[in-house]
Amino acid sequence: MKSPFENALNQLARATAVKKINKEVLLRLQKPEREVSVSIPVRMDSGEVKLFEGYRVQYSSARGPYKGGIRFHLDTNIDEVRALALWMTVKCAVSGIPMGGGKGGITVNPKELSLGEIERLSRGWVKLMYPVLGPSLDVPAPDVNTTPQIMAWMNDEYKKITGLPNDATFTGKPIEAGGSKGRGEATGMGGFYVYEVFAKEFGLSGGATVVIQGMGNVGSNAARIFKNHGSRIIAMSDSKGGIYSEEGLNPQDVDQYKKEHGTLTGFPNAKEISNADLLLLRCDVLIPAALENQITGENARDIKAKIILELANGPTTPEADDILFTRGIPVIPDVLANAGGVIVSTFEWEQNLKSEHWSEVQVLEKLKLILSSEAKGIYSKSVELKTDLRRGAFIIALERLEESMK
Ligand code: GLU
């Protein structure tokens, strides 16, 4: 299996095979502008000190300050963060927002840490990273296993160290700590707005059957939103495995069960299913909402979904893209499908800078306007170039990046 960064560079090269792109632009996107690695000392509850590896990759500032989340995961390393930072660069350009691309992370399993240890780790990351952060330099946000609470700690630490009066250095904060209305559900909501455009193009009617891999912020919100709009959620999973019911699951009950039991195992009136088998279920919409490299050359031939909506970053490999394209299964790419999060993050940043407070209706209306229009643009581009939606999206992003680099 190729590494996420190899896949990301490969996606870039594949896009330029269908449309000529300025050489200098491509050259500048082969490597990040800056990478920072730090070792964070954390006093554990036991009294001993442990060191954790932390990262920030600042990929491109061509279109604005670096923007992208911070991931806490045991498999997180500099290669993964680099790939995610390149995807953020493309995503922000696809969204038309005035942001560059970046990403951060810490190699850690936060489920093994107490709340106090997570707070000290989060503040520790900021203590070492603050010189390269700031509202006009680099604006981090949540990602896998990082929460609004963690953003509040990080923002507080940043303000303490630098004396900055505003809250615009971190987004995805709780509302009471300067967060924006609508940010919590923004990624799932955005995914739904994008889906609505393609459902029309590809003739999917209401009442679609939906399979969702992943129950973090994105997967759980998407399940709830799709269900509320008339879809039947036939399978859901967390990192350990999933559950399946042809009659449909109630996402709120599933969330509640997971909170109470810490697992989906034993959920009433549903069959257990592995994450690998869940991807192969017959359904209208398959939503990978967990990690990279899930749909690959190994399983793409056996996928039975009508359409794939990538709410995770990098869930489909280039080999799988080719197989799915030949089989006529459209893949709505991550850089569009999950862009709702970073778009509302940018609204949060703007509100913080101008001391404004927008209503949830305002936020969601603006989000829908952007995503519906970009989704239509990407669809037209892919039809015009007779290629898949990912390449269509990358071409649009590369043209915008070229414009800014000029
Ligand atoms: N982590 C999210 C992403 O992958 C959101 C980033 C942000 O809000 O800056 O797009």
Side-chain angles (χ1 to χ4, degrees):
M1 182 89 64
K2 297 250 169 53
S3 79
F5 188 57
E6 284 173 306
N7 285 341
L9 283 182
N10 194 353
Q11 290 171 347
L12 206 63
R14 287 156 57 86
T16 60
V18 295
K19 177 111 196 268
K20 223 172 134 39
I21 291 292
N22 181 297
K23 265 204 204 123
E24 263 177 46
V25 174
L26 280 180
L27 180 73
R28 284 171 66 173
L29 291 175
Q30 293 305 303
K31 284 188 168 191
E33 290 172 1
R34 184 197 275 160
E35 294 185 349
V36 185
S37 290
V38 294
S39 300
I40 311 161
V42 177
R43 170 97 40 208
M44 307 305 281
D45 292 346
S46 65
E48 73 170 322
V49 172
K50 268 197 184 169
L51 275 187
F52 293 88
E53 297 306 304
Y55 321 92
R56 188 70 182 167
V57 173
Q58 300 181 323
Y59 211 98
S60 166
S61 57
R63 290 180 47 84
Y66 305 106
K67 185 85 194 81
I70 304 168
R71 174 173 293 202
F72 286 4
H73 199 281
L74 213 46
D75 295 334
T76 290
N77 55 43
I78 192 76
D79 178 276
E80 183 196 40
V81 176
R82 206 179 276 145
L84 291 161
L86 172 51
W87 284 323
M88 285 311 302
T89 305
V90 176
K91 192 185 301 184
C92 291
V94 158
S95 312
I97 51 180
M99 291 291 179
K103 200 84 176 196
I106 299 178
T107 310
V108 59
N109 178 0
K111 286 164 199 146
E112 287 173 357
L113 267 55
S114 71
L115 213 56
E117 288 166 342
I118 294 178
E119 174 173 357
R120 295 194 286 281
L121 177 65
S122 305
R123 290 183 184 274
W125 187 91
V126 176
K127 278 192 184 108
L128 292 164
M129 286 294 181
Y130 81 88
V132 298
L133 306 176
S136 54
L137 179 55
D138 187 342
V139 185
D143 194 72
V144 172
N145 288 333
T146 47
T147 58
Q149 171 67 76
I150 290 175
M151 293 307 115
W153 287 326
M154 288 185 159
N155 186 51
D156 179 65
E157 190 65 31
Y158 183 83
K159 287 170 73 176
K160 263 194 207 151
I161 297 171
T162 62
L164 185 84
N166 70 53
D167 291 315
T169 309
F170 288 83
T171 62
K173 303 177 295 289
I175 311 262
E176 31 324 329
S180 173
K181 299 222 169 85
R183 178 61 184 87
E185 71 266 30
T187 312
M189 205 61 232
F192 182 74
Y193 294 148
V194 169
Y195 165 75
E196 275 186 312
V197 171
F198 289 99
K200 229 186 236 153
E201 296 296 351
F202 298 122
L204 283 178
S205 50
T209 51
V210 178
V211 167
I212 304 183
Q213 183 196 49
M215 279 190 64
N217 165 290
V218 178
S220 292
N221 273 302
R224 188 178 47 79
I225 292 162
F226 272 79
K227 164 92 167 51
N228 288 347
H229 286 82
S231 297
R232 180 151 46 99
I233 314 299
I234 60 168
M236 290 172 73
S237 70
D238 66 11
S239 58
K240 290 173 235 119
I243 48 173
Y244 161 70
S245 155
E246 202 50 48
E247 290 78 56
L249 301 162
N250 181 347
Q252 255 139 353
D253 294 345
V254 180
D255 272 343
Q256 190 56 36
Y257 187 90
K258 188 176 149 76
K259 256 187 216 120
E260 276 166 25
H261 299 81
T263 170
L264 300 181
T265 306
F267 186 82
N269 305 320
K271 286 190 204 119
E272 276 172 41
I273 187 166
S274 70
N275 263 305
D277 289 342
L278 172 133
L279 296 172
L280 308 182
L281 286 171
R282 190 170 299 284
C283 61
D284 293 316
V285 193
L286 172 60
I287 305 186
L291 297 171
E292 303 89 53
N293 286 345
Q294 298 301 303
I295 304 173
T296 67
E298 301 286 304
N299 62 7
R301 276 177 205 86
D302 302 318
I303 299 269
K304 295 172 208 66
K306 290 195 183 129
I307 188 171
I308 297 172
L309 182 71
E310 291 186 333
L311 294 190
N313 289 307
T316 312
T317 66
E319 295 75 34
D321 264 347
D322 282 343
I323 296 167
L324 294 164
F325 187 62
T326 316
R327 294 186 56 212
I329 301 175
V331 179
I332 308 176
D334 46 9
V335 292
L336 170 70
N338 71 31
V342 73
I343 294 172
V344 176
S345 268
T346 304
F347 297 163
E348 179 175 335
W349 171 78
E350 198 182 328
Q351 291 170 78
N352 292 153
L353 287 177
K354 298 179 179 163
S355 299
E356 290 178 1
H357 299 278
W358 305 352
S359 72
E360 183 163 337
V361 175
Q362 244 177 317
V363 166
L364 294 181
E365 261 174 16
K366 276 163 95 81
L367 176 66
K368 185 171 183 174
L369 211 62
I370 295 179
L371 282 174
S372 305
S373 138
E374 299 300 345
K376 285 175 199 155
I378 286 170
Y379 180 69
S380 308
K381 192 59 126 191
S382 70
V383 171
E384 175 200 320
L385 297 172
K386 299 191 178 58
T387 189
D388 57 31
L389 295 165
R390 190 181 321 277
R391 278 182 263 214
F394 268 64
I395 293 292
I396 288 181
L398 289 167
E399 287 171 349
R400 288 180 183 165
L401 280 156
E402 179 178 349
E403 203 56 40
S404 316
M405 285 180 188
K406 268 189 203 155

